[in-house]
Amino acid sequence: MGIPFTFQVFGVLLISFILKKNSWKILGIYLILGILGLPVFSGFNSGIGTLLGPTGGFLIGFFISSFIYFFNFNNLISGIFQIIIIYITGIYFFKVYKDIDIFLAIKILVPTFIWLDIFKLILALIVYKIFLKYMNKGIDL
């Protein structure tokens, strides 16, 4: 089982850009719903087993990364830090689950996904700017 391609990182970043210091609440609810059995994780998976599996570190990283907004960085810097935190937790869990060397885990995960996650960061920033534009005009979405 590999790491699936999803737009979860995009969603995590956009939620964090919009909700800032409150984003941890939404991401915590997301994890709780998944643990309780709602199929909210990639591939319509759920349960504690998913959290303890090879992709669980990424899911936990989503939650941990949201606390970056307690520091006063701009969204680009915060988004970069969020991706770094997501990768650190994701790589660690993957390494432990697969019982492989950390450098092999990095070699498997980083080159494959980093460019996609940078794209998702840029896309989330663009969508956030559009969101702000409409919110500042008072237009109902």
Side-chain angles (χ1 to χ4, degrees):
M1 176 183 182
I3 305 298
F5 171 79
T6 70
F7 261 81
Q8 289 173 300
V9 171
F10 168 80
V12 167
L13 293 170
L14 188 58
I15 287 167
S16 297
F17 293 163
I18 293 170
L19 296 179
K20 308 282 187 223
K21 291 180 181 179
N22 289 314
S23 63
W24 69 271
K25 296 173 187 176
I26 298 300
L27 296 168
I29 290 170
Y30 167 72
L31 287 181
I32 291 168
L33 292 174
I35 290 168
L36 292 176
L38 271 71
V40 295
F41 301 144
S42 68
F44 296 102
N45 289 313
S46 64
I48 194 74
T50 303
L51 219 55
L52 299 176
T55 61
F58 292 96
L59 297 169
I60 292 168
F62 296 160
F63 177 71
I64 294 170
S65 74
S66 66
F67 288 96
I68 198 69
Y69 285 89
F70 283 91
F71 301 96
N72 289 321
F73 301 123
N74 67 40
N75 282 333
L76 176 61
I77 300 299
S78 294
I80 291 169
F81 278 129
Q82 279 190 278
I83 290 173
I84 291 169
I85 292 166
I86 291 166
Y87 271 72
I88 288 170
T89 56
I91 289 167
Y92 179 75
F93 269 64
F94 187 80
K95 173 223 173 302
V96 170
Y97 184 84
K98 295 288 189 179
D99 192 27
I100 58 175
D101 179 75
I102 189 75
F103 296 107
L104 180 57
I106 291 169
K107 183 179 175 183
I108 292 169
L109 298 173
V110 175
T112 306
F113 292 99
I114 192 66
W115 303 111
L116 296 168
D117 288 331
I118 291 170
F119 168 75
K120 294 172 202 171
L121 170 60
I122 294 166
L123 185 61
L125 286 167
I126 292 168
V127 171
Y128 175 67
K129 295 288 184 185
I130 293 168
F131 172 80
L132 284 182
K133 177 181 167 186
Y134 284 103
M135 292 306 293
N136 289 335
K137 289 184 178 180
I139 297 172
D140 290 328
L141 298 177

